[in-house]
Amino acid sequence: MNRPIPGTVEVAVRHILSDKVTGFLVRTRSITWKDSVFRVRRPQSGKQTVELTCPVCDASLLAEVRTEARARRTRVVFGVLAALCVIAFFAALAYAVHEGGRTLPEGQSLPVLFPVSVVSVFVTFAVTPALAIRSRVYNGVSLLDAPKPRRRHAIRPVKG
C-alpha cells in the first residue's frame, strides 16, 4: 500500500496522445494519454514553483505548489461556497414556486425578484456541483504554463 509522505503531494503529468471526436448525431470523445507520477515536496510557507518533465516529449512544465494548510483552507472555502449555493438554490426555488403559483389580480405583474430567483436557480444548479467537485479534488498544485506549440499537458491529482 502506497502511503502518503507528510509534506509532499503526488501529481501526474499527462501527455495527451490523441483526442478524437467521432459520430454525427451522437458524439463520442476518446482521449488517450501517457502519464508519469511525481512526488512534489510542499513548501514550508507561501508557494513554490517546481519544474516537472513530461515523460513523452521531455518538455519542462512549471507547476505552482502551495502549502498543505493553504490547500486545506481553499478546499474548505470551496465546500462552504457549495453549501451556500445549495441553500441559495432551495431558497430561490421555493420563492419562485411560491410567487409563480399565485393568482394575480388583473393588471398586476409578478414582483421584480421573481426573474432574479429563476435565474439564480439555474446559476446555482450549475455552480454547486462544480464547487463541490472542486472542493474534493483540489490539492494545491496548478500548472503555470505548457509548451508553446500546443497545450497537450495536464497536471492531475493522484488518487491513492
Side-chain angles (χ1 to χ4, degrees), residues 19-30:
D19 186 2
K20 297 178 185 173
V21 178
T22 58
F24 177 67
L25 293 176
V26 178
R27 293 184 179 253
T28 57
R29 184 176 189 183
S30 62

Side-chain angles (χ1 to χ4, degrees), residues 71-95:
R72 190 178 319 110
R73 272 195 308 261
T74 305
R75 271 195 308 267
V76 168
V77 166
F78 284 140
V80 167
L81 287 175
L84 290 175
C85 281
V86 167
I87 293 169
F89 172 78
F90 285 114
L93 183 65
Y95 181 78

Side-chain angles (χ1 to χ4, degrees), residues 21-71:
V21 178
T22 58
F24 177 67
L25 293 176
V26 178
R27 293 184 179 253
T28 57
R29 184 176 189 183
S30 62
I31 300 172
T32 58
W33 67 80
K34 182 175 181 177
D35 63 350
S36 180
V37 177
F38 293 94
R39 186 174 296 276
V40 179
R41 181 169 296 282
R42 290 190 184 272
Q44 294 296 325
S45 64
K47 53 188 170 184
Q48 176 184 6
T49 303
V50 295
E51 184 177 356
L52 305 173
T53 305
C54 177
V56 176
C57 65
D58 292 329
S60 65
L61 305 168
L62 293 178
E64 191 173 71
V65 183
R66 290 168 185 80
T67 62
E68 194 167 347
R70 177 69 178 202

Side-chain angles (χ1 to χ4, degrees), residues 141-155:
V141 180
S142 59
L143 183 66
L144 289 179
D145 62 351
K148 293 295 179 196
R150 280 190 163 171
R151 189 174 179 94
R152 299 185 58 94
H153 297 88
I155 293 181

